[in-house]
Coordinates of all heavy atoms in Angstrom, one line a residue:
G29 N -154.0 5.7 56.0 CA -153.3 6.9 56.5 C -151.8 6.8 56.3 O -151.2 5.8 56.5
G30 N -151.3 8.0 55.9 CA -149.9 8.1 55.8 C -149.3 7.4 54.6 O -150.0 7.0 53.7
T31 N -148.0 7.2 54.7 CA -147.2 6.5 53.7 C -146.9 5.1 54.1 O -146.9 4.8 55.3 CB -145.9 7.3 53.4 OG1 -145.1 7.4 54.6 CG2 -146.2 8.7 52.9
P32 N -146.5 4.3 53.2 CA -146.2 2.9 53.6 C -145.1 2.8 54.6 O -145.1 1.8 55.4 CB -145.7 2.2 52.3 CG -146.4 3.0 51.2 CD -146.5 4.4 51.7
D33 N -144.2 3.8 54.7 CA -143.1 3.7 55.7 C -143.5 4.4 57.0 O -142.7 4.5 57.9 CB -141.8 4.3 55.2 CG -141.9 5.8 54.9 OD1 -143.0 6.4 55.1 OD2 -140.9 6.4 54.4
G34 N -144.8 4.8 57.2 CA -145.3 5.4 58.4 C -145.2 6.9 58.5 O -145.5 7.5 59.5
G35 N -144.7 7.5 57.4 CA -144.6 8.9 57.4 C -145.9 9.6 57.1 O -147.0 9.0 56.9
L36 N -145.9 10.9 57.1 CA -147.1 11.7 56.8 C -147.2 11.8 55.3 O -146.2 12.0 54.6 CB -146.9 13.2 57.4 CG -147.0 13.2 58.9 CD1 -146.7 14.7 59.3 CD2 -148.3 12.7 59.4
G37 N -148.4 11.8 54.8 CA -148.6 11.9 53.3 C -149.8 10.9 53.0 O -150.5 10.4 53.8
T38 N -149.9 10.7 51.7 CA -151.0 9.8 51.2 C -150.3 8.8 50.2 O -149.3 9.1 49.6 CB -152.1 10.5 50.5 OG1 -151.6 11.3 49.4 CG2 -152.9 11.4 51.5
S39 N -150.9 7.6 50.2 CA -150.3 6.6 49.4 C -151.4 5.9 48.5 O -152.4 5.4 49.1 CB -149.7 5.5 50.3 OG -149.5 4.3 49.6
A40 N -151.3 6.0 47.2 CA -152.2 5.4 46.3 C -152.3 3.9 46.6 O -153.4 3.3 46.6 CB -151.8 5.6 44.8
E41 N -151.2 3.3 46.9 CA -151.1 1.9 47.2 C -152.0 1.5 48.4 O -152.7 0.6 48.4 CB -149.7 1.4 47.4 CG -149.5 0.0 47.8 CD -148.0 -0.3 48.1 OE1 -147.1 0.2 47.3 OE2 -147.7 -1.0 49.1
L42 N -151.8 2.3 49.5 CA -152.6 2.0 50.7 C -154.1 2.3 50.5 O -154.9 1.5 51.0 CB -152.0 2.9 51.9 CG -150.6 2.6 52.4 CD1 -150.3 3.5 53.5 CD2 -150.5 1.1 52.8
I43 N -154.4 3.3 49.7 CA -155.8 3.6 49.5 C -156.4 2.5 48.7 O -157.5 2.0 49.0 CB -155.9 4.9 48.7 CG1 -155.5 6.1 49.6 CG2 -157.4 5.2 48.3 CD1 -155.2 7.4 48.9
A44 N -155.8 2.0 47.6 CA -156.3 0.9 46.8 C -156.5 -0.3 47.6 O -157.5 -1.0 47.5 CB -155.4 0.7 45.6
E45 N -155.5 -0.6 48.4 CA -155.6 -1.8 49.3 C -156.7 -1.8 50.3 O -157.5 -2.7 50.4 CB -154.2 -2.0 50.0 CG -154.2 -3.2 50.9 CD -152.9 -3.3 51.7 OE1 -151.8 -3.0 51.1 OE2 -152.9 -3.7 52.9
A46 N -156.9 -0.6 50.9 CA -158.0 -0.4 51.8 C -159.4 -0.6 51.1 O -160.3 -1.2 51.6 CB -157.9 0.9 52.5
A47 N -159.5 0.0 49.9 CA -160.7 -0.1 49.1 C -161.0 -1.6 48.8 O -162.2 -2.0 48.9 CB -160.7 0.8 47.9
R48 N -160.0 -2.3 48.4 CA -160.3 -3.7 48.1 C -160.7 -4.5 49.3 O -161.5 -5.4 49.3 CB -159.0 -4.3 47.5 CG -158.7 -3.9 46.0 CD -157.6 -4.7 45.4 NE -156.3 -4.5 46.0 CZ -155.5 -3.6 45.7 NH1 -155.7 -2.7 44.8 NH2 -154.3 -3.5 46.3
T49 N -160.1 -4.1 50.5 CA -160.5 -4.8 51.7 C -161.9 -4.6 52.1 O -162.5 -5.5 52.6 CB -159.5 -4.2 52.9 OG1 -158.2 -4.5 52.5 CG2 -159.9 -4.9 54.2
V50 N -162.5 -3.4 51.9 CA -163.9 -3.2 52.3 C -164.9 -3.4 51.3 O -166.1 -3.4 51.5 CB -164.0 -1.7 52.9 CG1 -163.1 -1.5 54.1 CG2 -163.9 -0.7 51.8
D51 N -164.5 -3.7 50.0 CA -165.4 -3.9 48.9 C -166.2 -5.2 49.1 O -165.6 -6.3 49.2 CB -164.7 -3.9 47.6 CG -165.6 -4.1 46.4 OD1 -166.7 -3.6 46.5 OD2 -165.2 -4.8 45.5
R52 N -167.5 -5.0 49.1 CA -168.4 -6.2 49.2 C -169.3 -6.2 48.0 O -170.3 -7.0 47.9 CB -169.3 -6.2 50.5 CG -168.5 -6.1 51.8 CD -167.8 -7.4 52.1 NE -167.1 -7.4 53.4 CZ -165.9 -6.9 53.6 NH1 -165.2 -6.3 52.7 NH2 -165.4 -6.9 54.9
G53 N -169.1 -5.3 47.0 CA -169.9 -5.3 45.8 C -170.9 -4.2 45.7 O -171.6 -4.1 44.7
A54 N -171.1 -3.5 46.8 CA -172.1 -2.4 46.9 C -171.6 -1.0 46.7 O -172.3 -0.1 46.8 CB -172.9 -2.5 48.2
G55 N -170.3 -0.9 46.5 CA -169.6 0.4 46.3 C -168.8 0.7 47.5 O -168.9 0.1 48.6
V56 N -167.9 1.6 47.3 CA -167.0 2.1 48.4 C -167.0 3.6 48.4 O -166.7 4.3 47.4 CB -165.5 1.6 48.1 CG1 -164.5 2.1 49.1 CG2 -165.5 0.0 48.0
A57 N -167.3 4.1 49.6 CA -167.3 5.5 49.8 C -165.9 5.9 50.4 O -165.5 5.3 51.4 CB -168.4 5.9 50.8

């Protein structure tokens, strides 16, 4: 959620990091 500095918005970097965190090989919704 939000931007890396805590603001409102979306961050491709945060999304990609979150997806890598939850990936167990069965896909990511």
Side-chain angles (χ1 to χ4, degrees):
T31 60
D33 65 359
L36 294 174
T38 57
S39 163
E41 176 184 318
L42 293 178
I43 295 166
E45 180 180 322
R48 287 189 296 272
T49 299
V50 301
D51 179 36
R52 303 291 186 273
V56 177

